[in-house]
Amino acid sequence: MTPQPQSPMRKRANILDVASAAGVSRQTVTRAMNDMAGISQETKERVQKLAAELGYVPSRFAKGLVQGARTSVGLAIPDLTNPYFPSFASSVVEAATQRGWNVVMDDYGHGTASAADAAARLSPQVDALIGYLAPHADEVQTLMGRRPVVSLDSPATEGTAGGISFDYSHAARLGLDHLSTSGCRNIVFLDSNRGGPSGGRSAAAAAVAAETGIQLTRIQADPSAAAAREAVTLLAAGGIRPDGMLVFNDLMAAGALKALQEAGLAVPGDCPVIGMDGIPLGELLTPELTTLSLDLRAVGRAAVGLLDGLLSGAIKDRSPEAFLTLRHQLVLRQSA
């Protein structure tokens, strides 16, 4: 009897299910699924066909034992349309390739997907995972079991094996101090409305402003150039004329620059603008964008190095050494 494809609600088929349906041994299924010698072409094709019908996929670890597969690392990215994330991903791939590792990437930030959805897709294929996982870092580590997860831009209190956070208080102080000493008194913080890492940047900016007595008005937009442009256009149309602007990321800062220019405000003469992240786009804008920059190659190397230590046992899961904090640098260009 031909087996029926599994319903999504049924338990995932395993190697014994395939062996029973095909009337062969477990070892024969292993040989067929890994394209090994010792069985006929007819048997191999029949077993592979039944496995597909049953929805059986060999585990990453089973294939590794048979084939001697290299370390495979999952990379969960929220939005590859934002130039920050391809730059970060490239740095991870570079550092991983130097170690002979494979990288499997998942861009989860479209529609209703989440980091947990990305981890569910990546988990059968990888030995470890790196990614921007907030606010689902705990859930991702649970999905990965004992395999290490390195979460970027998540609090160290979350339950991943390791993580890298960014000192947004330091970044906010650099940016706001520069605007304040440049004479800005009515500063706008253009924030993302997506939550997650936005909370860290927003809270840091508010705390630094309160501590230093800087007047700071917060507005929000989707983290895109178009949405930022619209938000700043509406701000100017409402009669609010900021004399300085700190922006959630460089992509949004590009939209803010456009809107300010359209409103007849000179940058930096009327309103200096500072972005955050330090992506190459900032050097292509007019005026060139002053930014709070991360060395993305260093971030990627740090994430892969941390994962290497966790995999080898040189760094203990959830130990103080498993959590790093990196800092932005103020890169002065024409916009502020």
Side-chain angles (χ1 to χ4, degrees):
M1 182 176 73
T2 302
Q4 296 299 311
Q6 282 198 311
S7 160
M9 298 301 293
R10 290 180 57 191
K11 184 175 126 179
R12 180 181 294 177
N14 59 39
I15 192 171
L16 295 178
D17 296 325
V18 178
S20 175
V24 298
S25 69
R26 176 175 178 165
Q27 289 76 16
T28 297
V29 175
T30 297
R31 290 179 181 277
M33 298 306 293
N34 290 284
D35 203 21
M36 299 171 65
I39 60 173
S40 70
Q41 183 67 22
E42 179 185 358
T43 298
K44 180 175 74 173
E45 291 176 356
R46 182 166 60 86
V47 170
Q48 290 175 347
K49 182 174 183 293
L50 286 168
E53 291 173 348
L54 288 168
Y56 169 66
V57 179
S59 75
R60 158 74 192 162
F61 300 103
K63 293 186 77 171
L65 290 171
V66 173
Q67 300 174 346
R70 297 187 297 173
T71 297
S72 185
V73 177
L75 180 58
I77 297 294
D79 184 7
L80 285 174
T81 64
N82 181 336
Y84 172 90
F85 292 109
S87 296
F88 168 72
S90 175
S91 70
V92 170
V93 171
E94 178 185 18
T97 300
Q98 290 171 352
R99 290 168 167 78
W101 297 356
N102 295 318
V103 177
V104 184
M105 186 162 57
D106 189 294
D107 177 9
Y108 65 82
H110 305 285
T112 58
S114 70
D117 298 318
R121 292 187 290 265
L122 290 168
S123 180
Q125 310 176 60
V126 301
D127 305 303
L129 193 146
I130 294 170
Y132 282 78
L133 309 176
H136 301 287
D138 286 359
E139 186 178 350
V140 170
Q141 184 64 76
T142 299
L143 283 166
M144 291 291 291
R146 298 184 66 180
R147 290 168 288 170
V149 172
V150 172
S151 182
L152 278 292
D153 214 357
S154 292
T157 53
E158 294 198 15
T160 54
I164 296 176
S165 59
F166 305 118
D167 188 345
Y168 289 124
S169 293
H170 174 73
R173 185 166 286 105
L174 287 176
L176 291 176
D177 282 354
H178 181 73
L179 291 172
S180 178
T181 56
S182 298
C184 301
R185 295 294 177 263
N186 181 25
I187 300 172
V188 164
F189 177 50
L190 176 54
D191 197 5
S192 163
N193 63 6
R194 294 285 179 87
S198 170
R201 301 185 191 200
S202 179
V208 170
E211 174 190 324
T212 56
I214 294 172
Q215 180 179 335
L216 187 68
T217 301
R218 176 174 172 261
I219 62 172
Q220 291 181 288
D222 284 348
S224 69
R229 179 181 180 182
E230 181 179 359
V232 175
T233 297
L234 290 172
L235 182 75
I240 299 176
R241 310 282 281 190
D243 61 6
M245 188 171 292
L246 180 64
V247 186
F248 175 80
N249 65 27
D250 288 351
L251 190 62
M252 294 177 72
L257 286 177
K258 186 73 171 176
L260 289 169
Q261 291 164 356
E262 290 170 341
L265 294 173
V267 178
D270 296 323
C271 184
V273 174
I274 299 177
M276 190 178 297
D277 288 339
I279 60 176
L281 171 70
E283 297 181 88
L284 303 177
L285 300 173
T286 303
E288 292 184 7
L289 182 66
T290 291
T291 184
L292 294 157
S293 176
L294 285 170
D295 181 343
L296 292 178
R297 290 193 69 193
V299 176
R301 287 195 300 267
V304 173
L306 178 54
L307 190 59
D308 198 350
L310 290 166
L311 285 167
S312 68
I315 298 174
K316 184 178 178 182
D317 288 10
R318 299 178 177 84
S319 67
E321 294 76 22
F323 293 91
L324 309 176
T325 300
L326 302 181
R327 283 185 160 187
H328 298 73
Q329 294 183 330
L330 180 62
V331 176
L332 294 173
R333 301 194 185 109
Q334 297 166 348
S335 73

